[in-house]
Amino acid sequence: YLDEVERRLRDINRTGEIIRCQKAVVPLGKVLGVRAFDLQRVVDMEPGFLAEGGHHHTHDSSITSVGIQKEGTLDLARLNKWMGTLLKERGVDIYRCKGVLSIQGMKEKFVFQGVHMTFNGEPTVAWGEGEARVNRMVFIGKNLDRMELTERFDACL
């Protein structure tokens, strides 16, 4: 399967380096300060790139983001049920979600990210002494209902 993914990446970008990794752990020198964007190379590949009116695209107003920021601790069972249902029913419309959550009974911050129906998260560093346990999460997607997402989140507190 990995070979097929790499073939598809090569179809998109023949010159980009593919770095195999797990959970995005790569040497920082491979991704920071690499000067990967070369304007001359882009102009050579697409001569009209800098021309007036040479860049055409449209914005889809149905794609928005919804951020939630609330202090408190979340009930893990209710959170799992809500997120599982949300991603199952609306996953194709949720392009990206990520956040830092305060889970009841957990000393560590729970950091998560998701793309469509895929979700991954894990406890990370401990909440600081006296630090407010503020939950922060954001959804990016199509036809997101801010009120519904906020109400369902609040039901997990």
Side-chain angles (χ1 to χ4, degrees):
Y1 181 74
L2 185 57
D3 290 335
E4 174 61 24
V5 170
E6 289 184 359
R7 274 193 294 282
R8 292 181 67 196
L9 287 171
R10 284 281 165 244
D11 288 342
I12 296 168
N13 183 343
R14 290 184 304 264
T15 61
E17 180 180 2
I18 296 174
I19 304 168
R20 288 190 177 189
C21 64
Q22 291 183 351
K23 293 190 176 184
V25 176
V26 297
L28 289 179
K30 291 280 195 179
V31 293
L32 296 178
V34 296
R35 300 192 173 289
F37 181 77
D38 180 350
L39 181 59
Q40 187 58 53
R41 187 177 68 225
V42 172
V43 171
D44 289 345
M45 291 179 1
E46 190 178 333
F49 183 77
L50 295 176
E52 185 71 28
H55 180 69
H56 298 286
H57 69 273
T58 58
H59 292 275
D60 184 341
S61 62
S62 67
I63 298 173
T64 60
S65 65
V66 173
I68 298 172
Q69 181 172 315
K70 298 244 175 152
E71 191 167 339
T73 56
L74 296 162
D75 179 278
L76 184 59
R78 284 187 271 176
L79 178 68
N80 279 335
K81 183 176 181 184
W82 171 56
M83 288 297 288
T85 301
L86 176 67
L87 296 176
K88 181 179 176 187
E89 294 176 356
R90 300 283 319 281
V92 294
D93 290 335
I94 297 174
Y95 301 148
R96 184 94 163 89
C97 61
K98 63 182 179 176
V100 177
L101 303 175
S102 170
I103 306 295
Q104 189 173 15
M106 194 178 289
K107 295 177 184 173
E108 301 85 10
K109 297 175 182 182
F110 186 83
V111 176
F112 77 92
Q113 65 172 338
V115 176
H116 293 291
M117 289 166 240
T118 304
F119 180 92
N120 189 341
E122 61 187 319
T124 58
V125 299
W127 291 93
E129 182 80 24
E131 179 181 7
R133 292 180 69 134
V134 178
N135 298 283
R136 293 177 176 89
M137 63 190 320
V138 65
F139 295 92
I140 301 168
K142 191 171 190 171
N143 300 317
L144 299 177
D145 183 330
R146 179 178 302 277
M147 186 180 300
E148 179 186 356
L149 288 170
T150 302
E151 287 174 357
R152 299 279 168 89
F153 175 84
D154 288 348
C156 298
L157 288 169

